[in-house]
Amino acid sequence: MKIAVVGTGYVGLVTGTCFAETGNQVVCVDIDVKKVERLQNGDIPIYEPGLDVLFDRNVAEGRLQFTTDLAEGIKEAQVIFLALPTPPGEDGSADLKYILKVADDLGHILDHYAVIIDKSTVPVGTAEKVTAAIAKNAKVEFDVVSNPEFLREGVAVEDFMKPDRVVVGTSSESARKVMEKLYAPLVRQGNPVIFMDERSAEMTKYAANSFLAMKITFMNEIANLCEKVGANVDDIRRGIGTDSRIGKRFLFAGIGYGGSCFPKDVQALAKTSADYDYDFRILKSVMAVNDDQKKKLLPMVNNFFNGDLKGKTIAVWGLAFKPYTDDIREAPALENIQVLLDAGVKITVYDPEAMDNVKKILGDKVTFCHTPYAALDDADALMIFTEWPQFRTPEFEKMAKLLKNKVIFDGRNLYELDQMKELGYTYFSIGRDIVKEG
């Protein structure tokens, strides 16, 4: 099958590469000339484990190509994916200008039947708007389908190649047959392709992400209460996670969610609710609690140093919003670093993948280090914002020699309390007792 993917961001590049891996001829289209040149030269602009292997193989075998020419990209394509940005506006609504601009362009140049697929996360009713934008100038038949992505950064290739489910919103029998053929290689183990109407498919993506954001936020609320009543949130997580009705995932307490999806999608669903005059109270609480939770460690730091932060040096481990990605969008680390900088704190940082992206924002305001231990040298304390695996089993004795104070503020609960007590650290975490040095 010949496929065009318009947009080479995170979703577009993973989508195009993975469909090429299943034997399709894929052309990815982007208006960013420099980005397309990088891709044509084999340089992947995002970090995603496993993507490079598939990318290199399919480029080498001629199944994956890149262009800035939309007409060239969609030539003879049976399927055209729209994987374009939908950034949130000031009111939280998803901005559809990029999608509708391409839809308008497609109406002028489409010369054969094709299935146009909204892969971006879009509000309810977008498929109808895309259909109208194309139909305004189209001289051929076409169908618009909603096919939301459910990719987790860090495991996106696996998620795409072995999906839990595929959601397809269409009222067209012709489009349904195309989608069944397209996804057949990915659901051979029996995972379902779930067909529904376009509006339900659009809502499904927002509902899924908002529910997961709510689950995270609920556990953070439990953690905050645990600190007051003297309970341990990790024990509670294990106690409720073994209940099959609840499940084990998304129950880890911490300093809130970030990234490109959860914050944006919760805001967008809240905006949709307001547009339809429905007061979605849970979503409002989720957003408010998460905003507060991101700054959860700051009062602990301030109290430990008796409000005297000026001139202190704090080491930061982890800048990305989660491990296995270089994505720093809505990352709690950045918000905390800025508050500390404003208080006169010197910051040294280490992250395995995200430092280049942070340099573009903070420049020389912080010191970037090549190893996690280099960041600790002569620092007054360590703060942990991202649960990279390498941070889980560090050399604590080496750390103790580098740090001025054996104190850790851990926003991801990486270490056991008994272990910290035995090693003689002062250790602050989320939803658990404070461990005092000695």
Side-chain angles (χ1 to χ4, degrees):
M1 192 177 294
K2 184 161 184 185
I3 297 171
V5 179
V6 185
T8 60
Y10 184 86
V11 172
L13 194 54
V14 171
T15 298
T17 303
C18 289
F19 273 128
E21 179 68 9
T22 59
N24 298 290
Q25 291 293 323
V26 179
V27 179
C28 293
V29 184
D30 203 294
I31 60 171
D32 188 332
V33 175
K34 290 183 178 179
K35 191 176 188 182
V36 169
E37 287 176 351
R38 284 181 65 183
L39 291 163
Q40 289 172 337
N41 292 325
D43 182 12
I44 303 176
I46 62 171
Y47 173 74
E48 178 62 37
L51 183 62
D52 54 345
V53 176
L54 273 59
F55 180 93
D56 292 343
R57 176 163 58 234
N58 286 282
V59 167
E61 295 180 4
R63 289 193 298 270
L64 182 60
Q65 299 175 325
F66 303 91
T67 182
T68 56
D69 188 330
L70 182 62
E72 176 190 334
I74 69 163
K75 188 177 181 182
E76 299 178 359
Q78 296 157 274
V79 170
I80 303 170
F81 281 97
L82 305 184
L84 295 150
T86 54
E90 290 186 9
D91 61 356
S93 61
D95 190 342
L96 297 178
K97 65 183 177 185
Y98 301 109
I99 290 176
L100 295 179
K101 172 64 168 64
V102 171
D104 184 71
D105 292 342
L106 286 173
H108 289 280
I109 61 177
L110 199 61
D111 60 4
H112 61 282
Y113 172 79
V115 176
I116 319 296
I117 302 174
D118 286 333
K119 198 65 176 170
S120 308
T121 301
V122 293
V124 174
T126 299
E128 295 160 26
K129 292 180 180 178
V130 170
T131 299
I134 298 172
K136 191 166 54 176
N137 297 295
K139 296 178 175 60
V140 294
E141 294 293 318
F142 66 91
D143 283 309
V144 174
V145 167
S146 176
N147 174 217
E149 52 84 17
F150 297 97
L151 305 179
R152 295 169 296 161
E153 292 190 44
V155 287
V157 172
E158 182 179 352
D159 283 348
F160 199 99
M161 301 302 286
K162 300 175 182 178
D164 289 337
R165 81 294 200 193
V166 176
V167 172
V168 177
T170 183
S171 52
S172 162
E173 189 59 34
S174 298
R176 178 176 179 135
K177 289 177 181 176
V178 171
M179 299 301 286
E180 286 174 338
K181 180 181 177 183
L182 179 65
Y183 277 104
L186 304 179
V187 294
R188 294 180 65 193
Q189 293 182 329
N191 291 344
V193 178
I194 305 170
F195 287 93
M196 59 186 72
D197 65 87
E198 295 88 342
R199 286 188 164 230
S200 296
E202 291 163 345
M203 179 69 90
T204 296
K205 174 59 187 287
Y206 283 119
N209 277 356
S210 296
F211 183 85
L212 295 175
M214 180 184 67
K215 198 173 179 183
I216 293 168
T217 303
F218 177 82
M219 284 307 294
N220 285 334
E221 289 269 65
I222 290 292
N224 295 340
L225 183 56
C226 283
E227 293 172 7
K228 293 184 177 295
V229 303
N232 185 317
V233 74
D234 285 344
D235 291 336
I236 295 165
R237 169 178 56 80
R238 289 187 285 266
I240 68 173
T242 47
D243 187 325
S244 61
R245 297 169 300 175
I246 296 172
K248 299 176 181 179
R249 296 171 67 184
F250 292 91
L251 293 181
F252 288 87
I255 47 173
Y257 59 79
S260 62
C261 294
F262 285 5
K264 177 172 68 73
D265 293 354
V266 173
Q267 289 176 19
L269 186 54
K271 178 62 169 61
T272 296
S273 303
D275 289 345
Y276 284 84
D277 198 26
Y278 180 73
D279 185 12
F280 209 140
R281 288 167 288 177
I282 289 178
L283 290 187
K284 292 177 181 177
S285 296
V286 166
M287 291 186 286
V289 170
N290 195 63
D291 285 344
D292 290 342
Q293 196 72 17
K294 284 185 175 183
K295 300 182 282 287
K296 173 77 175 175
L297 293 179
L298 290 173
M300 301 179 189
V301 175
N302 195 57
N303 290 338
F304 179 81
F305 290 108
N306 297 314
D308 183 19
L309 291 175
K310 190 172 183 179
K312 297 291 190 294
T313 298
I314 292 181
V316 167
W317 281 4
L319 298 169
F321 85 94
K322 63 180 283 189
Y324 301 109
T325 182
D326 60 355
D327 195 341
I328 58 171
R329 287 174 286 185
E330 301 281 346
L334 298 187
E335 193 169 340
N336 282 264
I337 287 171
Q338 191 57 59
V339 172
L340 293 170
L341 287 173
D342 292 343
V345 175
K346 179 184 175 184
I347 305 290
T348 57
V349 305
Y350 173 78
D351 186 284
E353 296 295 337
M355 290 197 292
D356 286 345
N357 288 338
V358 174
K359 282 179 185 177
K360 296 172 185 175
I361 297 172
L362 294 180
D364 59 0
K365 292 180 181 179
V366 303
T367 301
F368 295 92
C369 301
H370 294 296
T371 70
Y373 299 107
L376 300 180
D377 193 13
D378 213 27
D380 292 283
L382 166 64
M383 297 181 75
I384 301 174
F385 293 109
T386 314
E387 62 273 31
W388 284 97
Q390 63 182 274
F391 300 157
R392 291 186 179 277
T393 54
E395 298 177 49
F396 287 106
E397 291 183 6
K398 183 176 181 178
M399 293 169 63
K401 292 175 182 177
L402 292 167
L403 286 164
K404 284 183 184 176
N405 308 296
K406 290 174 65 175
V407 59
I408 300 173
F409 300 90
D410 182 1
R412 298 301 177 188
N413 289 6
L414 297 188
Y415 311 128
E416 295 297 328
L417 302 183
D418 289 343
Q419 178 189 29
M420 292 290 96
K421 192 176 298 182
E422 185 179 329
L423 291 168
Y425 277 81
T426 296
Y427 180 64
F428 297 84
S429 55
I430 309 297
R432 306 186 295 179
D433 287 340
I434 298 170
V435 175
K436 300 289 188 179
E437 183 178 355

